[in-house]
Amino acid sequence: MGGGLGLRRRGAHRPLALLLVLVLAAAAGGAAEGKARGRGAHGSTSTRLRFRRGSGTFKVVQVADMHYADGRATGCEDVLPSQVAGCSDLNTTAFLYRVFRDEDPDLVVFTGDNIYGADSSDAAKSMDAAIAPAIDMKLPWAAVIGNHDQEGTLSREGVMRHLVSMKNSLSGLNPEGIEIDGYGNYNLEVSGVEGTSLGEKSVLNLYFLDSGDYSTVPSIKGYGWIKASQQVWFQQTSSSLQRKYMNENPKQKQPAPGLVFFHIPLPEFSSFTAANITGVKQEGISSASINSGFFTSMVEAGDVKAAFIGHDHINDFCGKLSGIQLCYAGGFGYHAYGKAGWSRRARVVSVQLEKTDNGEWQGVKSIKTWKRLDDPHLSTIDSEVLWNRGTNGRRKKNTDGS
């Protein structure tokens, strides 16, 4: 949760019986759907992420700031008066099922404040309930933690260890053999289409980092930041992946693109105005009060095309800076602060492979994104291309042509 609005209390409301029925029906349908699609391999932490053979795509659904607590006993924040009665964490659960069933992602990424620890009577049970739709639908998922996950019955390390241990989780606690700040610094590799020349290479690299919670330096107030030890690990990992991709057969001319996921925005998210973003900025950028240099680290790495965060719930924009798209997801959870009448939302990221004239899938051609709203139509908005091979990405033109 960002610092601009704070969390306003409204007390718990009894959920409507209809909502509970819908959630249970979605759960049953989700389990059957996952089985019908042959997602059995997703039920193991040894799952190998790879692009789909038929479409040459890899799709991620980003879920930011669920703020899950005690399920139906936990009321909603910042909804319309007509929505208050019966609104609870179960609305968040129902939205998860809706978007997962419609988008059918290859990976779900939860980018922190997955639970609201202070309102949770049992942090582990809250995490189990929050992530349950992804597990039920046999979807692989990964998570980082935010600044509220650890405010309950588990420490920051304890929260991340629990997320790592859960079914279908591809999350990592930390890289082995090195000292590093925080918990939940790891990377995932996405292989090309099985049976093709790039079927055994990582053609898309995903980086996950712990952006901290609050400053532990007395003279520095406010939120935490990505520390030097984490940046060294990131740079070394990126460099190693690029060497393998470009130097091992079949050798590639350009690095595989990388995507980065964490919770708290970098100061560079303040670089944009309404004229050079897609989406909206409706609150201040609640970054750390110092700049630790991680944006520079991403630029210097050379492979990062976009970074995805949460934290400030009513910002949902993407803006490009120095060749990197900086993207908010927008708030997902109903127990999180929001804006009445402004739908909760998820961000979808779709990565497309290039296809040769003879029909073989190659490396990544483009990265696109859009958002899905929890409205009656599960509306899709703000579709845009974040990156194209041979270009630096593009966004929709404004009405003035800029």
Side-chain angles (χ1 to χ4, degrees):
M1 182 184 80
L5 295 180
L7 184 63
R8 294 174 284 279
R9 294 279 177 259
R10 283 208 182 91
H13 304 283
R14 179 175 297 176
L16 292 172
L18 176 60
L19 177 60
L20 182 57
V21 170
L22 290 173
V23 170
L24 293 174
E33 193 168 347
K35 184 176 180 181
R37 288 176 184 154
R39 289 195 180 276
H42 286 176
S44 168
T45 54
S46 62
T47 296
R48 182 169 189 172
L49 298 175
R50 63 167 66 251
F51 281 76
R52 299 189 181 200
R53 177 180 299 278
S55 61
T57 57
F58 185 84
K59 184 188 288 185
V60 178
V61 167
Q62 179 196 0
V63 176
D65 297 278
M66 288 189 291
H67 280 230
Y68 213 94
D70 286 344
R72 55 184 166 180
T74 301
C76 298
E77 300 288 333
D78 297 325
V79 295
L80 295 171
S82 61
Q83 297 174 300
V84 170
C87 192
S88 73
D89 279 339
L90 294 186
N91 291 66
T92 301
T93 298
F95 184 25
L96 286 169
Y97 275 113
R98 290 186 78 199
V99 71
F100 292 166
R101 293 183 69 177
D102 205 72
E103 288 290 351
D104 188 24
D106 300 290
L107 179 69
V108 180
V109 177
F110 298 96
T111 51
D113 285 0
N114 308 305
I115 65 171
Y116 192 79
D119 288 348
S120 166
S121 58
D122 185 315
K125 289 182 179 179
S126 293
M127 282 185 280
D128 292 343
I131 308 294
I135 295 173
D136 179 52
M137 293 186 66
K138 298 181 172 60
L139 296 170
W141 60 274
V144 294
I145 49 179
N147 54 294
H148 288 305
D149 298 274
Q150 79 293 339
E151 294 175 339
T153 59
L154 286 176
S155 67
R156 198 165 181 79
E157 179 180 0
V159 168
M160 197 65 219
R161 285 190 180 277
H162 187 79
L163 289 167
V164 170
S165 72
M166 292 172 66
K167 189 176 181 180
N168 296 8
S169 176
L170 300 181
S171 311
L173 182 64
N174 270 333
E176 295 182 2
I178 66 171
E179 291 189 10
I180 190 168
D181 288 280
Y183 301 98
N185 302 289
Y186 59 100
N187 69 290
L188 296 173
E189 301 178 15
V190 185
S191 300
V193 173
E194 189 173 13
T196 65
S197 60
L198 296 180
E200 302 304 313
K201 292 178 82 87
S202 178
V203 300
L204 176 69
N205 295 309
L206 310 178
Y207 305 97
F208 303 82
L209 294 101
D210 179 3
S211 54
D213 49 10
Y214 304 98
S215 171
T216 57
V217 180
S219 60
I220 301 174
K221 306 301 181 183
Y223 292 109
W225 56 88
I226 296 173
K227 307 292 178 53
S229 63
Q230 298 167 275
Q231 296 183 50
V232 169
W233 164 78
F234 162 75
Q235 290 174 317
Q236 290 176 344
T237 303
S238 171
S239 179
S240 175
L241 290 168
Q242 290 186 53
R243 285 195 303 270
K244 287 175 62 178
Y245 191 66
M246 298 174 70
N247 296 336
E248 295 180 6
N249 290 325
K251 297 179 180 179
Q252 303 299 300
K253 294 180 180 180
Q254 297 178 340
L259 306 177
V260 186
F261 299 89
F262 49 96
H263 181 70
I264 296 175
L266 305 175
E268 284 80 5
F269 275 78
S270 297
S271 303
F272 307 107
T273 66
N276 56 9
I277 60 173
T278 299
V280 296
K281 177 180 179 291
Q282 301 180 112
E283 62 176 307
I285 308 300
S286 299
S287 61
S289 59
I290 65 165
N291 193 328
S292 70
F294 184 60
F295 180 77
T296 300
S297 292
M298 291 194 295
V299 173
E300 290 178 343
D303 62 334
V304 176
K305 308 307 177 189
F308 301 94
I309 64 154
H311 193 57
D312 299 325
H313 305 178
I314 58 173
N315 292 339
D316 73 348
F317 66 82
C318 284
K320 188 176 69 178
L321 183 66
S322 299
I324 296 178
Q325 296 276 359
L326 301 178
C327 295
Y328 277 102
F332 190 99
Y334 279 85
H335 186 52
Y337 79 80
K339 183 178 179 181
W342 194 72
S343 299
R344 266 59 176 187
R345 59 203 57 212
R347 181 170 290 282
V348 183
V349 182
S350 181
V351 186
Q352 175 70 57
L353 297 180
E354 195 154 18
K355 202 170 191 178
T356 64
D357 291 339
N358 62 9
E360 182 173 334
W361 295 113
Q362 294 293 300
V364 172
K365 177 183 179 181
S366 65
I367 302 170
K368 300 178 182 179
T369 189
W370 55 88
K371 287 165 295 203
R372 301 301 298 271
L373 308 186
D374 194 22
D375 62 12
H377 306 289
L378 198 61
S379 299
T380 300
I381 65 167
D382 294 339
S383 180
E384 62 175 318
V385 177
L386 296 178
W387 178 81
N388 255 331
R389 179 169 297 281
T391 72
N392 207 13
R394 69 173 185 266
R395 62 181 177 85
K396 289 183 176 178
K397 286 188 176 182
N398 297 301
T399 55
D400 63 358
S402 62

